[in-house]
Amino acid sequence: MSEQPTPVPSAGSAVPPPVESVPPSPEEAVPPAGPLPREVAAALKRDGAGLVAAVVQQYDTNEVLMLGWMDDEALHRTMTTGRVTFYSRSRQEYWRKGDTSGHVQWVKSVALDCDGDALLVRVDQVGAACHTGTRTCFDGRALDVVASQAG
């Protein structure tokens, strides 16, 4: 949501009355920006752009679905709305998973890793998690490795 600057009247001009805004529908409503709980904000170790990696996992199968990026506001929205919100590094804007595709991620839990530099977001994924249409962003993308066993 962007705010319009208040017009500054020039000599001899009249300032038009403010335009009343129409409140968003419940589906479009964005929670008010608010600080993260102090202990969460203090524990986060953000990268140079202020972002933290968010690993998204299906809550009941433990399937790793995707990786996204969150800043404080995206994490706040995720923790307070029940839907996952990411920060797009390429578009430099927030996006809520499923708003255009219908492939919604319903939040089940959020955990911070031991170093504070990654989040684990457990979700109930509706439809494909990947923008390519696959269930996960890792389907069909395995690399050849030398596999080993523990001792």
Side-chain angles (χ1 to χ4, degrees):
M1 199 162 29
S2 65
E3 294 183 25
Q4 297 295 322
T6 305
V8 177
S10 59
S13 70
V15 176
V19 177
E20 290 188 32
S21 63
V22 176
S25 69
E27 296 80 35
E28 299 171 324
V30 174
L36 289 171
R38 187 173 307 156
E39 64 279 2
V40 174
L44 286 174
K45 290 191 179 75
R46 301 156 190 85
D47 69 7
L51 303 173
V52 175
V55 177
V56 181
Q57 181 181 45
Q58 176 65 32
Y59 83 101
D60 54 354
T61 65
N62 294 328
E63 190 176 21
V64 176
L65 301 172
M66 62 176 287
L67 174 82
W69 296 92
M70 293 184 181
D71 65 3
D72 288 17
E73 179 62 24
L75 179 55
H76 169 74
R77 292 180 188 191
T78 298
M79 292 172 62
T80 60
T81 66
R83 295 269 309 273
V84 180
T85 299
F86 297 102
Y87 185 79
S88 170
R89 296 178 302 169
S90 59
R91 296 187 312 263
Q92 297 188 345
E93 65 185 19
Y94 297 103
W95 60 280
R96 193 167 67 168
K97 187 69 173 170
D99 278 353
T100 57
S101 67
H103 299 165
V104 176
Q105 293 176 338
W106 298 105
V107 177
K108 295 296 186 176
S109 66
V110 178
L112 185 59
D113 82 338
C114 60
D115 295 322
D117 60 0
L119 298 161
L120 177 61
V121 183
R122 293 175 52 88
V123 303
D124 190 6
Q125 175 71 48
V126 175
C130 186
H131 71 281
T132 65
T134 58
R135 170 71 181 164
T136 83
C137 291
F138 303 97
D139 288 348
R141 295 171 181 89
L143 302 176
D144 291 332
V145 298
V146 174
S148 60
Q149 294 179 339

